[in-house]
Amino acid sequence: MEYPADLSFLFMAPTRIVFGAGAVSEIAVELAGLGRGRALLVTDAHLLGKTDVVRRIEKSLGKACAGVFSDVPADSDVRAVDAGARFGRERGADSIVSAGGGSVMDTAKGIAILLTEGGSLLDYQGFQLLSRRQTPHLAVPTTAGTGSEITYAAVIKDHENHRKLLFADHHIIPDVAVLDPSLTVGLPPLLTAATGLDAFSHGLEAVTSAQREPIADALGLHAIRLVHRFLPRVLHDGGDLAARGQMLAAATLGGAAFSNAQVGLVHAAAHVIGGRHGVHHGVANAVLMPHVMRFNNSAAAGRHRAVAEAMGLDVRGMSDEAAGLAAAKAVAQFVREAGLPSSFRELGVPEADLEACAEMAMSDGSIVYNAVTVTDPEQVLTVLRAAWQGPA
Ligand SMILES: [Fe+2]
């Protein structure tokens, strides 16, 4: 884990983190701590109708709940953000509580922008375009994966153009994250695995990023360690509260790591495959990781060695190159053992579209941080073809 002598970086993780089974009952106190008293509760229809999550949060908020907006689709989109902002404005909301997975939290970040800035969300797409703090936001993740509760990024789909837009700004980092493992015990195995692998991919991509630095490295490697240790446990027993808690911690660690060091080709390609073919973000990352690791091994073998060690592999006596390839193999096996598909072919992605996907990935903001500099869509296409085919 060497760093250049001219290393310079900015690290930010300003979110206040409240952790614990039952922490959801602290929400009203946390909101008051932000000096706010009318929160728009943003969630999705499943959490509202099929779980007690929303009821528990409403109970905690009491009169401080300005209204519940639950019209958030599986992939957050611009229309949902517009509708949520309109609803929040009508209800006189001065703050946001989001309860859900990445899609809900990212929708809430978009709503936070519109409630403060007005106008069209598309005006704020890109990096660091905002000049002031946005609407106070308290995030309550109900999956352990995206880390959106602590990141400066929101990925929001533009349905008209079938692409995912990236909003990245320090002014949309949530103010408070409430990590309550009791909210994630009902998460089914497939979603548990897919979101868990997303957290893993954040650790991996932060550690191998062109913008890597020691603080994000520490967080990213520990995210990998925790997912590797605790994902099998929660898949074996979804009610294992201790393991669920460590998965939530892993997601937040991974989020803090990549919110600073960025992500790379795995995410650039996953955004496109998700946007064009509806593949779940975590599943797309899981399929891509081993292939991107092989592609990146020429530049990131030493980093991959650290990933292998975080996964408990004995790589003593191996060259960095061999240790890096062993790490890629172990990740592929981990994905398989988590019960996830290992090729885009299995997921119904048409082979004929890979070229267009490779072209689009070139304009994704994440690609510039990839360990190996990507200058030609052919490089992406090679990775996508391998990921389509699956493990040899
Ligand atoms: Fe991700």
Side-chain angles (χ1 to χ4, degrees):
M1 304 292 275
E2 294 284 324
Y3 307 94
D6 62 351
L7 176 71
S8 70
F9 64 89
L10 166 75
F11 181 89
M12 274 185 80
T15 305
R16 179 177 160 92
I17 298 169
V18 184
F19 180 97
V24 73
S25 63
E26 304 289 319
I27 287 174
V29 176
E30 291 299 326
L31 188 70
L34 296 173
R36 301 292 161 136
R38 275 190 74 74
L40 171 67
L41 177 47
V42 179
T43 186
D44 64 32
H46 172 79
L47 289 164
L48 177 65
K50 306 270 191 218
T51 73
D52 65 353
V53 169
V54 175
R55 193 181 50 75
R56 288 173 69 187
I57 294 175
E58 279 182 302
K59 190 173 162 211
S60 168
L61 281 172
K63 284 185 186 144
C65 183
V68 179
F69 178 76
S70 64
D71 199 10
V72 178
D75 268 332
S76 169
D77 72 63
V78 173
R79 287 172 305 195
V81 171
D82 283 337
R86 236 182 352 260
F87 181 75
R89 224 173 271 125
E90 281 164 18
R91 295 296 181 103
D94 64 7
S95 50
I96 298 170
V97 171
S98 63
S103 181
V104 165
M105 290 186 278
D106 286 3
T107 298
K109 288 175 180 176
I111 295 172
I113 295 173
L114 290 190
L115 285 183
T116 296
E117 304 291 346
S120 163
L121 187 64
L122 299 181
D123 295 342
Y124 307 102
Q125 185 200 341
F127 282 82
Q128 300 296 144
L129 296 175
L130 299 163
S131 57
R132 54 180 167 167
R133 284 293 302 156
Q134 299 299 300
T135 314
H137 177 191
L138 198 151
V140 189
T142 59
T143 64
T146 68
S148 193
E149 65 277 6
I150 199 169
T151 71
Y152 83 139
V155 179
I156 297 174
K157 192 165 175 175
D158 173 7
H159 268 101
E160 275 163 34
N161 296 308
H162 303 287
R163 63 188 302 163
K164 291 190 170 184
L165 310 175
L166 180 64
F167 299 79
D169 200 296
H170 289 134
H171 296 298
I172 60 169
I173 297 176
D175 300 84
V176 180
V178 175
L179 308 183
D180 184 338
S182 71
L183 301 184
T184 67
V185 292
L187 200 64
L190 190 64
L191 257 182
T192 298
T195 50
L197 263 299
D198 188 26
F200 187 107
S201 75
H202 295 155
L204 169 72
E205 291 223 282
V207 165
T208 53
S209 161
Q211 199 167 287
R212 64 189 180 271
E213 40 86 351
I215 298 173
D217 277 350
L219 301 173
L221 286 170
H222 199 51
I224 289 171
R225 239 172 253 129
L226 290 181
V227 174
H228 183 255
R229 174 149 181 205
F230 292 103
L231 182 61
R233 252 175 73 174
V234 292
L235 289 176
H236 176 70
D237 175 9
D240 184 337
L241 207 57
R244 287 285 192 190
Q246 292 310 301
M247 285 302 295
L248 265 177
T252 302
L253 284 162
F258 95 80
S259 191
N260 288 281
Q262 311 300 329
V263 281
L265 179 54
V266 171
H267 274 73
H271 290 152
V272 176
I273 296 286
R276 286 172 78 87
H277 301 294
V279 176
H280 184 280
H281 175 66
V283 174
N285 286 333
V287 169
L288 282 158
M289 274 192 289
H291 303 286
V292 172
M293 288 174 82
R294 286 184 199 111
F295 173 75
N296 279 341
N297 208 41
S298 60
R303 305 256 142 191
H304 290 155
R305 172 189 282 280
V307 171
E309 286 166 352
M311 295 178 77
L313 295 185
D314 184 1
V315 289
R316 284 173 300 181
M318 281 189 194
S319 65
D320 280 354
E321 197 198 346
L325 292 175
K329 200 169 163 196
V331 170
Q333 191 185 338
F334 188 63
V335 168
R336 225 173 11 255
E337 285 171 2
L340 293 179
S342 47
S343 74
F344 287 140
R345 180 166 49 174
E346 281 171 79
L347 289 157
V349 175
E351 191 177 15
D353 197 53
L354 295 181
E355 245 179 271
C357 289
E359 281 287 347
M360 265 183 92
M362 296 300 289
S363 58
D364 187 280
S366 305
I367 207 161
V368 298
Y369 301 103
N370 192 59
V372 168
T373 308
V374 179
T375 53
D376 185 340
E378 279 297 320
Q379 293 170 287
V380 184
L381 190 57
T382 306
V383 171
L384 287 180
R385 285 215 170 105
W388 189 85
Q389 203 69 44

